[in-house]
Amino acid sequence: MENQIKPIAKWIGAMTLLLMLSACPGGDAANAQQEVPDHYEMKEASRDGIGKFYMGREISHVMGHRGANWLERPERVGEEKPDDAVAQMDLKPTDVVADIGAGTGYFSFRISPLVPEGRVLAVDIQRQMLTRIERRAKKDGITNVEAVLGSIDNPNLPTATVDVALMVDAYHEFSHPREMMLALVDALKPGGRIILLEYRLEDPSVPIKRLHRMSEVQVRKEMAAVGLTFVENRTFLPQQHFLVFQKPAMNDQTQ
């Protein structure tokens, strides 16, 4: 029985890759193997992963729009302290903030009042999520939250326009983390910051599946690979890292 299961598991992993690549612009299932860049590795998928590895980490499955109610659960305020997290972002009233993997806009609408002269770009690859954000913004008369349809490898944001980019429990699900981060770094202004909230892999008491958690070491390694400088990890949240990275300032880039 075991010998029968292994080929089936490998077939499922291969089919996951083909479906993933066919969703890419210009994707061609017939050329799937050629379209996997060298910085990724394909292996047999685990139960909660897609069988695609980046810098030693298996990428997890994505939580789809059907999980929207979980994102908005009342218990989240106590479990994750989102208001404390937003307060720690050190935002200026004029900042342009990109909420990457915004989902229902749970953080976007918390950020909005802190940037009255700026904007919140709520980026997601699921149109269903963006529709929810647009409806809420219209209902509540919020004019500085803008829904942006991203793709699996690009947030679709203009170059050097973003002051701060926030990713809350989203980065570990990116199927093309390197491409997405390079595009996001391009969208940051010189000196702009990226803030990642990820469930702590180092803490066994965090009740989240392993592939939906990340270690500080792994995050720092992956951010360094796209040219970001580690600033700090603030440890005030009950279950998550609050990791801050920075794009080099203009004078640093010209040296």
Side-chain angles (χ1 to χ4, degrees):
M1 178 65 72
E2 183 180 357
N3 291 335
Q4 293 175 332
I5 291 174
K6 286 184 177 180
I8 293 172
K10 290 180 180 179
W11 179 84
I12 291 172
M15 288 303 295
T16 299
L17 170 62
L18 295 180
L19 289 170
M20 179 176 64
L21 288 174
S22 66
C24 299
D28 184 350
N31 297 316
Q33 294 299 327
Q34 289 84 348
E35 293 191 30
V36 180
D38 291 341
H39 46 265
Y40 298 121
E41 185 178 6
M42 299 306 302
K43 300 181 183 179
E44 185 174 325
S46 67
R47 179 178 178 179
D48 300 312
I50 66 173
K52 184 178 182 181
F53 289 73
Y54 178 55
M55 302 188 79
R57 171 183 65 89
E58 185 178 9
I59 297 167
S60 75
H61 286 298
V62 175
M63 186 182 72
H65 65 274
R66 291 182 178 84
N69 290 338
W70 188 81
L71 295 176
E72 295 286 343
R73 68 193 186 283
E75 300 83 6
R76 191 175 181 185
V77 173
E79 292 171 354
E80 299 183 11
K81 307 292 184 185
D83 296 315
D84 291 352
V86 170
Q88 289 277 338
M89 290 177 67
D90 301 327
L91 298 173
K92 300 190 296 292
T94 56
D95 277 343
V96 174
V97 182
D99 183 6
I100 308 297
T104 59
Y106 188 81
F107 274 83
S108 297
F109 290 109
R110 282 175 161 79
I111 294 168
S112 169
L114 301 182
V115 291
E117 302 167 49
R119 288 185 298 157
V120 181
L121 306 173
V123 181
D124 207 280
I125 65 172
Q126 300 178 83
R127 169 46 67 184
Q128 297 91 335
M129 292 293 199
L130 298 179
T131 297
R132 288 181 62 127
I133 290 172
E134 290 168 339
R135 287 174 178 168
R136 178 174 172 182
K138 182 176 181 180
K139 174 179 174 291
D140 295 344
I142 297 171
T143 59
N144 67 340
V145 173
E146 177 184 342
V148 178
L149 182 63
S151 65
I152 59 175
D153 58 1
N154 197 320
N156 293 332
L157 299 172
T159 297
T161 56
V162 174
D163 295 289
V164 183
L166 174 69
M167 287 173 278
V168 180
D169 305 324
Y171 174 74
H172 64 270
E173 296 183 350
F174 292 171
S175 63
H176 294 70
R178 184 175 179 84
E179 291 80 4
M180 177 66 84
M181 289 308 304
L182 286 171
L184 185 54
V185 170
D186 179 70
L188 281 180
K189 297 176 182 177
R193 293 176 293 136
I194 285 181
I195 299 173
L196 289 96
L197 274 63
E198 288 284 349
Y199 289 109
R200 295 192 295 268
L201 181 60
E202 301 91 335
D203 186 350
S205 69
V206 175
I208 299 294
K209 293 179 179 180
R210 188 183 187 283
L211 291 190
H212 290 271
R213 295 183 283 150
M214 291 191 71
S215 69
E216 176 183 335
V217 169
Q218 184 69 31
V219 176
R220 290 178 63 169
K221 180 168 66 172
E222 296 185 25
M223 294 303 108
V226 295
L228 292 169
T229 300
F230 174 69
V231 177
E232 62 181 327
N233 183 5
R234 301 181 186 177
T235 58
F236 63 95
L237 293 175
Q239 299 179 339
Q240 296 152 297
H241 294 295
F242 186 100
L243 292 151
V244 183
F245 298 87
Q246 190 167 34
K247 178 177 178 176
M250 188 67 72
N251 58 343
D252 295 331
Q253 292 177 316
T254 56
Q255 289 178 356

